[in-house]
Amino acid sequence: MPKPQPELLIRGAQIVSPLGSSPICGEEMRHLRVINEGWIACSDGKILGLGPMDELVNHVTVDGCTEIIDAAGKVVLPGLVDPHTHLVFGGSREDEFYLRAQGTDYMEIMTRGGGILSTVRATRAASLEELVETGLQRLDWMLSQGVTTVECKSGYGLDLETEIKQLRAVQILNERHPIELVATFMGAHAFPPEYAGREDEFVEVIIEEMLPAVAEQGLAEYCDVFCESGVFSVEQTRRIMERARELGFKLRLHADEMTSLGGAELAGELQASSADHLLQITEDGMTALREGQVMPVLLPATAFTLKKPYAPARRMLERGLPIALATDFNPGSSPVPSMLLTISLSCLYMGLTPEEALNAATLNAAVSIDRAEQLGSLAVGKQADLVIFEVDHYSKIPYFIGADLVETVIKRGSIVYHKPRFRGGYEC
Ligand code: NIG
Ligand code: FE
């Protein structure tokens, strides 16, 4: 039988990947498949094969049409997946960043009309074109960090028109940028000032007007709610989520971020795709996530920025839960677009091993956006989303904190990013 001729072949690298396409839980998160001096070949946007270099000749034929990347001394991983961001927003909030740095609390700023509501004003004022332009720039930041798939939430409109403008921006960005986007409607992110004292009426507007309109226009795959003291109660969240599910949305939840309100328990009951933040999760919350097979998505860059205690990751792993990681990139609690920094923080402050952190940022992150069949691990037939890192062992990825480690990013088999090199002041 003739051997296939790949369009792209990477050879000589340490090839590192989670195993399989199912959630990786507890103890299993300590394992990765590692091929030292390996090859990986791609065609038609998919992975054609991979293995150790000494077996390459048995598997593929290389001719002049094959693009070859020599990656000896480098590491290849699946494209990183960032399953929780608020990427599309107007304005910025560096003023609050410095206030918080000097001790003011995040929720206190929000109660004073700043925080999310400040970004709501700026996002309402921004044009669709401005949101797309700033979105493209932020996606470039993420791509150069090895990210190939990003979940994006609305939630800075809090009125139908602006929520739709944000989701339209996500749709346009998905067409224009190589990063693949997954859209989430989050109209229940805060109560808009015009509904002050009439919060339940706003819940009705979400249920009766916003959710049906977003569903009809097919603008979002998920619905998310900020379930928190002083924001959406467990009961309000349940009503929104149940209606969302009836309309065909899958569910994610901002749960137990500042207080142990019962968000994780609700996510378990509703069998949501993910429960995110979980800084204040209780033992009952962990049981509920396990029973409901909900992916916990942990956001250490938020705890870092807000100077809050980190989510109890080791306790969750001991209880056999899986863990995914995300940046929570947003203008307030996490102005951090970097999955690489997130990975480093998860090791330093939540005690993850490099293997656990990399499983969490690839396959488990893909599971949380229901894309594990296509993304998150290197296996024949999966989408060819790959990153080449300029380190010789994967354990150096979390270790070189904040370094520019990504050399090349491949999305659906095509090179979409290659790091510019500077030697003695000129680009070569
Ligand atoms: O996930 N917690 C609620 N929402 C965001 C913060 C958004 C903002 O501060 O603008 C979060 O942390
Ligand atoms: Fe968030």
Side-chain angles (χ1 to χ4, degrees):
M1 209 165 90
K3 286 176 276 179
Q5 296 179 4
E7 289 163 15
L8 178 71
L9 172 69
I10 303 171
R11 60 185 186 193
Q14 183 185 60
I15 313 266
V16 181
S17 173
L19 281 163
S21 296
S22 316
I24 315 172
C25 304
E27 265 292 304
E28 291 165 37
M29 286 194 72
R30 289 184 175 269
H31 305 292
L32 285 169
R33 176 185 186 192
V34 179
I35 309 170
N36 289 313
E37 287 189 50
W39 60 275
I40 181 160
C42 316
S43 270
D44 300 323
K46 300 232 160 73
I47 298 172
L48 191 69
L50 70 164
M53 279 306 282
D54 53 12
E55 292 173 12
L56 174 61
V57 287
N58 306 333
H59 290 274
V60 291
T61 306
V62 173
D63 67 7
C65 297
T66 303
E67 178 162 13
I68 298 177
I69 302 180
D70 273 311
K74 295 176 186 161
V75 170
V76 174
L77 272 181
L80 303 178
V81 176
D82 187 347
H84 180 141
T85 81
H86 306 253
L87 178 96
V88 173
F89 56 85
S92 59
R93 303 203 324 249
E94 56 279 11
D95 48 344
E96 294 177 11
F97 175 82
Y98 297 109
L99 279 177
R100 282 197 316 274
Q102 285 163 34
T104 313
D105 185 68
Y106 174 79
M107 290 306 273
E108 190 188 322
I109 296 175
M110 185 164 166
T111 358
R112 285 199 232 136
I116 294 174
L117 293 181
S118 147
T119 301
V120 168
R121 291 188 286 277
T123 309
R124 285 179 178 178
S127 67
L128 177 63
E129 293 67 34
E130 280 160 12
L131 295 180
V132 169
E133 228 17 76
T134 47
L136 285 170
Q137 183 184 47
R138 294 165 194 159
L139 286 173
D140 281 350
W141 297 342
M142 292 176 165
L143 188 68
S144 68
Q145 294 276 305
V147 172
T148 49
T149 306
V150 171
E151 184 264 5
C152 300
K153 302 174 200 298
S154 68
Y156 290 122
L158 312 182
D159 61 31
L160 184 57
E161 188 192 335
T162 317
E163 290 292 314
I164 286 186
K165 181 172 68 180
Q166 271 190 284
L167 292 170
R168 263 297 286 150
V170 174
Q171 197 175 46
I172 296 169
L173 289 166
N174 199 21
E175 286 156 13
R176 291 215 201 141
H177 198 277
I179 292 185
E180 182 174 345
L181 301 184
V182 175
T184 297
F185 167 70
M186 198 178 176
H189 194 195
F191 291 107
E194 56 274 22
Y195 281 88
R198 300 185 292 136
E199 283 76 13
D200 278 330
E201 279 179 47
F202 183 59
V203 173
E204 288 313 308
V205 170
I206 293 174
I207 288 175
E208 298 300 333
E209 293 170 28
M210 293 194 188
L211 279 169
V214 174
E216 197 187 293
Q217 296 186 42
L219 282 169
E221 187 173 332
Y222 291 91
C223 174
D224 195 340
V225 176
F226 187 13
C227 181
E228 184 57 60
S229 309
V231 198
F232 291 83
S233 68
V234 170
E235 234 1 89
Q236 290 169 328
T237 306
R238 182 185 279 107
R239 292 195 54 221
I240 296 168
M241 295 255 119
E242 280 174 351
R243 178 73 175 127
R245 190 156 55 192
E246 270 170 30
L247 289 164
F249 292 91
K250 289 177 276 182
L251 310 178
R252 331 181 63 75
L253 199 59
H254 279 61
D256 300 333
E257 179 179 358
M258 313 290 176
T259 49
S260 309
L261 198 69
E265 287 84 335
L266 180 63
E269 176 194 321
L270 295 169
Q271 299 183 310
S273 296
S274 77
D276 304 37
H277 285 289
L278 308 173
L279 309 189
Q280 302 294 339
I281 190 171
T282 60
E283 294 291 325
D284 284 350
M286 291 186 217
T287 307
L289 295 188
R290 183 113 205 238
E291 285 172 359
Q293 297 191 358
V294 182
M295 178 61 74
V297 177
L298 304 188
L299 313 164
T302 311
F304 176 71
T305 308
L306 297 182
K307 300 192 266 187
K308 299 273 181 201
Y310 289 77
R314 290 250 58 94
R315 183 76 194 112
M316 293 170 145
L317 290 170
E318 277 163 25
R319 297 199 46 159
L321 281 163
I323 282 178
L325 286 171
T327 60
D328 192 21
F329 177 63
N330 72 70
S333 66
S334 179
V336 177
S338 168
M339 275 300 278
L340 293 182
L341 178 59
T342 300
I343 287 170
S344 297
L345 292 173
S346 78
C347 295
L348 260 179
Y349 295 113
M350 300 197 307
L352 298 197
T353 65
E355 293 78 12
E356 288 166 341
L358 294 174
N359 275 314
T362 54
L363 186 59
N364 279 357
V367 169
S368 87
I369 50 165
D370 303 288
R371 280 174 174 63
E373 289 306 315
Q374 308 93 288
L375 309 175
S377 62
L378 304 178
V380 175
K382 276 194 148 182
Q383 196 164 296
D385 290 6
L386 318 173
V387 190
I388 306 177
F389 289 88
E390 49 187 19
V391 285
D392 58 8
H393 193 281
Y394 69 84
S395 60
K396 293 183 180 165
I397 295 173
Y399 164 68
F400 284 116
I401 303 170
D404 202 2
L405 299 178
V406 172
E407 184 195 73
T408 306
V409 182
I410 292 149
K411 181 70 185 174
R412 297 190 180 95
S414 300
I415 296 175
V416 290
Y417 171 81
H418 191 72
K419 182 177 173 173
R421 300 215 160 268
F422 296 93
R423 297 275 187 272
Y426 61 87
E427 194 172 338
C428 55

